[in-house]
Amino acid sequence: MPRFSFPDLSLEAFRRQLASVDALPQLCLLGVVSGLITGGLMVGFRLLLEVGAMAFMPAGDPEAFEGLPALGRAVMPVIAVVIIGSLLWRQPAAARKLGVGHVIERLTYHQGRFPLRNWLNQWWVGVVSVLGGLSAGREGPAIHLGAAASSGVGERLRLPHNSLRVLVACGTAAGIAASFNTPIAGVIFAMEVVMMEYTIAGFMPVILASSMGAVVAQLVYGSAPAFQVPTVSLGSMANLPWIVVTALLIGLLAGLFIHVAKNKKIADLPVSWRLSLVAMATAGVAWWYPEVQGIGYDSLAASLSGELAIDVLVVLVVAKLLLTALTVASGIPIGIIGPVLVVGAAAGALMGMAGSWMWPGNAADPGFYAMLGMAAMMGAVLQAPLGALMALLELTHNPNIILPGMLAVVVSGLTSRQLCRCDGYFISVTRHGLHPLQQPLMQALSRVSVPAVMERSLVRTLRMVTHEQARRLLEAKPVWILIERSRDDKPTLALKAADLARFLMEHPLPPEGEDGEMIDLLEIPGLRLDMAPIHLQATLSEAFSRLNDQALDALYVEHGYRPKQKRISGIITRGAIERYYRYNDRSPDSDSPS
């Protein structure tokens, strides 16, 4: 009878498979799970906004600030700031980090692991900031909630850290897809803004997650696009120069937004001053122009259809931009993507109107310029041109807008970057002018976990052994011998087994009946490597950083979570990491734009 072997379907085998760079089927499965979870969370967040709006907003619409009395809508930002200030500022500074910036920070410096307190804070801060009439979006909360929940699944399953990185990207993409019904833009945003790299192994699970997130949202809210966009086109090529001028202006606006949002003078003010400034400024503008409050999607839709008056458009461009930037600079963690789109659309609509006055009959519709302005502003603020173009395509369902859209996004991005000296809003440049996530070496090493490269063939022993004990150590044919100074110590040195074998050949076993001298493994000729521990879940980038930080050449890999249950699974050396990078990171799918 033939014998059949069944694949190992245990969780431990799943973890081992994920440690490798080519664990595509396993990552795709995680992408589906992440998309479903994030889609459900996004639906839940939007339902929270709707339930809260039913208490005091006209028709239960979270965007209907225009229907409120002037005094009521002016008081709301003050109440929102008081709630956020009194509850959030009682907590440590680390607990006040929310939104997309927090996601990128946790991915960069914490291997994609998220604290629960921040995740819980994101729920109520997101709801209060939007319903309270601050100039805030819901995409930042959606990305944080999705990325942290997806990563949390990986942590509960104790998956290797390289898969946590992919789960963060999956949660990010699904959050954008469920919010805007734009699955392609969600994928590009996750890879361009959060992961800052493109790989096949990263794309496929993120595509699945984004698709699942959009499917869940469509099951609840339908498949209609986020905005009803009129059918418009470029018309005459004579519009191209005016599109360049429009994009140049929007690039300057993006630079202004980033400079105000990152202004150190505002950030250094006392907390009470900062919060009071946000509350009073928002209340003052909202008294006359409620369109600046909330996310502003209703104003965005009106900009696209040409229904807003000039004074309202001007207020959206100037006041909403400054209010959003001021709120962020003051330390209130809000989403900026929605407000940025509104500002860009309003600026584009104004430039479209100006073009119609100067070239009647030849200029494209102001709604067309509003669409371009929306993408140009998003691309310039985030320095994410491809993500902005995909959002433009999916939101308009108009492929004819891509050519002028490319021109607008590139010009606005260059203007913000070169003339205003602004990097992307979420990017903090460090070494060699690159964010840590953009550095090619760390990108490559972050895709693989320690088990894929470590040497598992090893034995442990005390430093003093007899000839017979030394020979028994070599019977297992180990590559490394880990030396312990005492029985209760962790190993601190690694010796090549070949060095011990060479010593035994040069110093044969003494005649039977003679004790012979004990062998001191710290004294025999050979290369000994100082070691420190690292956990089995760690990525090669974590291992490489620890080797550099502690000036070591090797790490022993621990498996287990309770102190008394930890065991050593292998050893990983600096040479093994360098060989992996040199020989295994040359495939086409490992290339990235950075």
Side-chain angles (χ1 to χ4, degrees), residues 34 38 100 103 142-143 146-147 150 167-177 186 189-190 194:
S34 171
T38 302
V100 181
V103 171
I143 291 169
S150 300
L167 281 169
V168 170
C170 290
T172 298
I176 290 289
F189 181 92
V194 176

Side-chain angles (χ1 to χ4, degrees), residues 227-230 232 291 296-309 312-314 316-317 341-350 352-353 365-371 374:
F227 311 109
Q228 296 299 323
V229 178
V232 291
E291 291 84 359
Y297 285 164
D298 54 345
S299 299
L300 174 56
S303 299
L304 296 175
S305 58
E307 298 174 3
L308 291 183
V312 176
L313 291 173
V314 172
L316 286 175
V317 171
L341 291 175
V342 175
V343 172
L350 282 173
M353 289 181 179
D365 188 272
F368 179 83
Y369 281 89
M371 297 176 200
M374 178 176 64

Side-chain angles (χ1 to χ4, degrees), residues 91 94 134 152 159 162 185 196 201 245 251 286 290 345 432 481 486 568 581 593:
Q91 303 180 39
L134 298 178
L159 302 182
N162 63 321
M196 302 186 196
V245 174
H432 304 314
I481 297 174
S486 70
I568 295 177
Y581 179 70

Side-chain angles (χ1 to χ4, degrees), residues 93 115 135 295 345 363 383 389 441 481 593:
S135 181
I295 308 171
Q383 286 297 307
L389 283 172
L441 173 62
I481 297 174

